Amino acid sequence: MQVPQIPYNERERLESLYKLNILNTPPEEEYDNLTRLASVICNVPVALVSLIDKEKQWFKSKIGTDLCDTDRNLSICAHAINAPTEIMEIPNTQKDIRFKNNSLLKNPKGPIIFYCGVPLKDKNGNAVGTLCVIDHKENKLSHEQKVSLQALAHQIEKLFELREQNLHLRAVQKNLEEQNELLKNFAGIVSHDMKMPLTSMIVTTDILRAKYADKLDDQGKKYLGYLKQSSFKLSDYISSILTHYETDKLTDEHPQESFYLNHFLEEIIDLFNIEENCEINFPENDIEITCNRIALEQIILNLIGNSLKYNDKDKIVIDFDCYEDAKHYHFTVSDNGMGIEEKKQKEVFNLFSTVASSDRHGNKGNGIGLSTVKKLVTNLGGTISVTSEVGKNTHFHFSVKKDLHKKIA
């Protein structure tokens, strides 16, 4: 018996095989279907997807045999991979000197008499194994059967490529998730650690103004005002970042509740210092909602806050609308504010994206609020969009998925 020659590209070949992370994995229907087709098309009892490791050949898919692997030195496929571009057909292995005294050929349960294998290659031409068919008697494939076997082998190679791509994407996704978790933790630590010094700055500013009021001129008082205003703005910015990175916790940790929409909206409106020049209209139909109340509250708070801040009209008008279908609650929050340019409407939900130069009071936004809103809506199984006409109105439309199985009294 001749021991199979080690291919000249053995190192690259094995690297390609190991990249697939496929050895000793459970059977998969995609491979088994192709192997079964090979058996039927070639009219033989045995068909295999054989992968050649350093010391073993292992069968990813098998039809007509109970073997899971064999020693590489006994493998006919280990001979086949030395000619990656050719089909290796052996009508009768018992007449081939290379396989004399090979124990696989004498297996009483199913001796390997006929063999035909097509090397399975990676994109660089390295053969990692074969698609092979076996018969227990002398045989020979027709031209059409060989062409079909090659076509099936090509489909298996495509499965290998997809597997490698999926493994790469999973690795990228895992890395991104780890980086995002680190960023969330960093944001939380930094935000909490900066809150206290900022509070101290704000309090100290008030103390300086009160204690040294008679010694400060108007310019000095103005500088203290700038310092306090900047401290408040930075504090708000930090709070927004913290809220953004805690949205997953907000939607994961709070249970579903049932409540009536209009009473819910009244409670939210009470949190704002609404002036007489603001008109807020609730939905005509007061429907009962069952969802994550805390998350929905954060969404509405952000949208109302924007409607109040980014409005240049003498009278602010905010309209709420809501309806439900079998799977979702659908909400619309509309206002008669500054509006958003059409070219900027797609960017409005991007983190740190600001679409207006300043709000009603001349302050510039931080571009975090609407990104947080979108994240919350997505976590609640919904979608969000915006339509707007500059100088006239803005309409935010979003949905929240129903989950009646978690409905509580």
Side-chain angles (χ1 to χ4, degrees), residues 20 123 156-166:
L20 292 172
K123 58 186 177 183
I156 293 172
E157 290 171 348
K158 290 294 182 185
L159 288 177
F160 287 166
E161 289 179 20
L162 288 173
R163 182 181 182 87
E164 188 172 346
Q165 291 170 11
N166 287 336

Side-chain angles (χ1 to χ4, degrees), residues 66-115:
D66 294 329
L67 287 175
C68 294
D69 57 51
T70 69
D71 191 288
R72 179 172 174 173
N73 288 339
L74 300 176
S75 169
I76 302 176
C77 297
H79 288 272
I81 63 172
N82 281 293
T85 61
E86 300 174 15
I87 295 179
M88 180 176 179
E89 184 179 40
I90 307 172
N92 190 332
T93 57
Q94 294 179 337
K95 297 178 181 179
D96 193 314
I97 192 172
R98 289 175 297 177
F99 308 110
K100 186 177 181 180
N101 297 323
N102 187 318
S103 59
L104 292 178
L105 276 58
K106 300 176 181 180
N107 187 344
K109 293 183 179 180
I112 301 174
I113 305 301
F114 166 77
Y115 173 93

Side-chain angles (χ1 to χ4, degrees), residues 79-231:
H79 288 272
I81 63 172
N82 281 293
T85 61
E86 300 174 15
I87 295 179
M88 180 176 179
E89 184 179 40
I90 307 172
N92 190 332
T93 57
Q94 294 179 337
K95 297 178 181 179
D96 193 314
I97 192 172
R98 289 175 297 177
F99 308 110
K100 186 177 181 180
N101 297 323
N102 187 318
S103 59
L104 292 178
L105 276 58
K106 300 176 181 180
N107 187 344
K109 293 183 179 180
I112 301 174
I113 305 301
F114 166 77
Y115 173 93
C116 185
V118 179
L120 299 171
K121 304 180 294 295
D122 67 6
K123 58 186 177 183
N124 296 316
N126 299 307
V128 297
T130 70
L131 169 63
C132 65
V133 292
I134 293 169
D135 204 344
H136 306 313
K137 63 182 188 301
E138 187 170 326
N139 201 341
K140 186 173 179 63
L141 297 186
S142 68
H143 173 72
E144 290 76 12
Q145 286 175 319
K146 289 181 181 179
V147 170
S148 298
L149 195 62
Q150 285 178 308
L152 293 174
H154 184 63
Q155 292 304 308
I156 293 172
E157 290 171 348
K158 290 294 182 185
L159 288 177
F160 287 166
E161 289 179 20
L162 288 173
R163 182 181 182 87
E164 188 172 346
Q165 291 170 11
N166 287 336
L167 288 171
H168 175 70
L169 290 174
R170 286 175 193 165
V172 170
Q173 182 182 16
K174 184 180 179 181
N175 181 259
L176 287 174
E177 288 173 351
E178 290 173 352
Q179 293 298 320
N180 188 50
E181 191 63 31
L182 288 172
L183 185 58
K184 285 167 65 175
N185 293 336
F186 175 76
I189 292 169
V190 171
S191 298
H192 284 301
D193 288 352
M194 290 181 69
K195 277 285 190 177
M196 187 59 71
L198 279 171
T199 302
S200 298
M201 287 173 62
I202 294 168
V203 172
T204 302
T205 302
D206 288 337
I207 292 173
L208 287 172
R209 183 189 292 273
K211 189 171 183 179
Y212 300 102
D214 57 337
K215 297 180 181 180
L216 291 171
D217 57 14
D218 291 341
Q219 193 69 25
K221 293 176 182 178
K222 187 180 293 185
Y223 287 148
L224 284 177
Y226 290 154
L227 179 62
K228 184 175 181 179
Q229 184 180 6
S230 297
S231 298

